[in-house]
Amino acid sequence: MTSIPINFDEVKEISNFLPKFIDILFKNSVDESLDVFRMFENYTRAKEKSLKMTKDGIVIPKVLIISPSMQCNLDCIGCYAKGYPKDDELSLEEINRVIKEAKDLGIFLFIISGGEPFFREGLLDVLANHRDVVCWIFTNGTLFTETVADCLEKCRTIFPLFSIEGFKRETDTWRGKGTYEKIILAMELARKRNIQFGFSTTVTKRNIFTVTQEEFIGGMIEAGCKVGIYLNYNHKDNNIPDTFSCDRIEKQLLKEVIEKHNEKENIVLFDQSAWEEVVGGCLSAVNGLLHINSQGDIDPCPMVRLPGGNIRDKSLKDILGSEIFVQMRQNKGLAEDGFHQCVLKGSSA
């Protein structure tokens, strides 16, 4: 079965997101807005590079997720990082090299995940060298210190996204007692230092009616958030009953709430499920996503571990042009066979 090629630029939920996000960054920049202006210009150049590579037979993902380390100071429910070893991490040289290679291919949006990214010393210094692209950092907020704020205040293209699961009860239940208050303090620190930031939330049956409330979204806007990312809880452990995943009606509710708020100008919201509906789930994520884990292995996404190659052995361009990625894009059946053979873990940002 051959999958249908996807033109992401024609998908409203995706094509409208980055331009609006960059526009919000530009409008709200207090100083050093030149970085944001250059970033806006590079967005167009990146699309041209990506199109050229596609014509040359290599499909370039829209988003590169990098997990420099899987270490974390929290023990959140359903976290996919629990399935990765903690005794290995990407060197700063490897992170810098792969970002440079990705930019040369036309990748514009980078997501720094983990584990907790701020565990990796020197990471912000590396990211600050790449001010012509967007770098999102998904963080639990507990290590967002004055020192971190000093770095981000000098580089407006590094954008922290604080993981929060609703209000105090929902967040502390999912992430641990006292976490909610630390996240709010981190947001306050970012706002006082004129650092632009956003929130991310893992949507489950337990919190969907909370995180779609006007009280919650309005509270995030009031706290200073310029973007909100809604991530699906993906249940992958057959030994544990799935009591968290949202059903179709609940996902439709989320979609409607996001569409309503995106008509406004003060925040931009994104629903991961919109992306998944377009690409056909994680198995087709090689059309739009790519993940590099702390061991250098390349996967279609953090939740699906397939043998796609390792950046320590090959360049990113060579890996994307390799036979396995070509086959995964062209033949969904092959991807499904590989999927059933790999180690599957739960997921939570």
Side-chain angles (χ1 to χ4, degrees):
M1 176 179 177
T2 302
S3 58
I4 299 174
I6 298 160
N7 186 346
F8 281 86
D9 295 328
E10 295 180 359
V11 180
K12 181 184 66 174
E13 291 87 351
I14 297 171
S15 63
N16 291 345
F17 179 74
L18 267 180
K20 183 177 179 181
F21 170 73
I22 297 171
D23 186 52
I24 287 178
L25 281 184
F26 187 74
K27 288 179 178 178
N28 290 277
S29 292
V30 176
D31 52 19
E32 296 189 44
S33 59
L34 183 61
D35 280 344
V36 181
F37 180 74
R38 288 172 177 167
M39 182 179 64
F40 188 87
E41 285 187 324
N42 193 55
Y43 172 65
T44 300
R45 288 196 294 269
K47 289 176 64 176
E48 293 173 351
K49 289 181 181 179
S50 178
L51 180 60
K52 181 181 183 301
M53 294 303 301
T54 300
K55 291 180 178 179
D56 292 339
I58 300 178
V59 178
I60 305 302
K62 297 295 183 182
V63 181
L64 180 61
I65 306 171
I66 303 175
S67 296
S69 173
M70 289 301 179
Q71 295 188 63
C72 189
N73 57 325
L74 300 183
D75 186 23
C76 303
I77 296 173
C79 180
Y80 65 78
K82 294 178 182 180
Y84 287 87
K86 305 296 188 293
D87 57 353
D88 199 0
E89 62 184 13
L90 296 176
S91 69
L92 298 181
E93 292 76 14
E94 288 169 337
I95 297 170
N96 185 66
R97 174 177 63 81
V98 79
I99 292 178
K100 184 178 184 304
E101 290 180 3
K103 291 195 303 181
D104 289 342
L105 294 175
I107 297 176
F108 180 76
L109 175 57
F110 295 80
I111 294 178
I112 311 301
S113 186
E116 169 52 47
F118 291 132
F119 255 105
R120 187 64 181 91
E121 294 184 5
L123 172 65
L124 292 178
D125 293 330
V126 172
L127 299 183
N129 291 326
H130 300 280
R131 300 187 181 204
D132 52 347
V133 293
V134 175
C135 287
W136 286 350
I137 298 183
F138 280 76
T139 173
N140 61 40
T142 62
L143 301 181
F144 193 84
T145 62
E146 293 281 357
T147 301
V148 171
D150 287 341
C151 294
L152 297 186
E153 193 174 15
K154 297 174 183 177
C155 185
R156 301 297 181 182
T157 58
I158 303 175
F159 196 90
L161 293 168
F162 297 104
S163 299
I164 190 167
E165 314 310 331
F167 298 110
K168 180 179 176 62
R169 180 177 66 83
E170 293 85 6
T171 302
D172 284 4
T173 297
W174 195 262
R175 298 187 173 271
K177 186 177 181 180
T179 305
Y180 177 80
E181 293 179 355
K182 293 178 181 178
I183 296 170
I184 296 303
L185 288 174
M187 288 184 175
E188 290 178 358
L189 173 59
R191 186 179 65 233
K192 289 178 180 178
R193 301 288 288 273
N194 292 320
I195 297 167
Q196 296 195 61
F197 63 92
F199 74 91
S200 71
T201 183
T202 303
V203 184
T204 71
K205 282 184 175 295
R206 309 295 178 88
N207 72 347
I208 185 167
F209 295 109
T210 298
V211 297
T212 54
Q213 287 180 10
E214 184 66 38
E215 182 182 1
F216 173 74
I217 299 176
M220 291 294 96
I221 295 173
E222 185 176 349
C225 293
K226 303 301 181 185
V227 64
I229 309 296
Y230 287 86
L231 303 168
N232 289 332
Y233 172 81
N234 292 315
H235 180 73
K236 295 294 190 303
D237 193 334
N238 292 327
N239 296 320
I240 301 176
D242 181 10
T243 59
F244 295 114
S245 297
C246 293
D247 58 31
R248 183 175 298 180
I249 295 177
E250 291 163 337
K251 289 181 179 180
Q252 180 61 31
L253 167 65
L254 176 61
K255 182 178 180 180
E256 292 173 357
V257 169
I258 287 177
E259 288 178 350
K260 171 186 173 183
H261 278 276
N262 278 342
E263 295 176 356
K264 304 176 182 179
E265 298 296 329
N266 52 1
I267 194 171
V268 54
L269 302 178
F270 186 74
D271 178 10
Q272 178 197 358
S273 63
W275 185 290
E276 289 188 348
E277 287 176 8
V278 173
V279 301
C282 279
L283 296 184
S284 300
V286 285
N287 287 307
L289 298 173
L290 200 67
H291 175 235
I292 301 175
N293 66 34
S294 59
Q295 297 173 294
D297 296 323
I298 289 188
D299 314 307
C301 79
M303 281 72 77
V304 177
R305 300 178 66 179
L306 293 172
N310 192 292
I311 62 166
R312 291 168 175 166
D313 302 325
K314 298 180 180 180
S315 70
L316 187 59
K317 179 180 179 180
D318 287 342
I319 292 174
L320 288 172
S322 65
E323 183 178 356
I324 186 171
F325 271 89
V326 172
Q327 289 179 328
M328 278 194 291
R329 285 192 296 266
Q330 293 179 345
N331 193 312
K332 186 177 180 181
L334 176 65
E336 288 172 347
D337 290 341
F339 176 79
H340 291 302
Q341 295 172 11
C342 70
V343 179
L344 302 178
K345 299 297 177 181
S347 68
S348 171

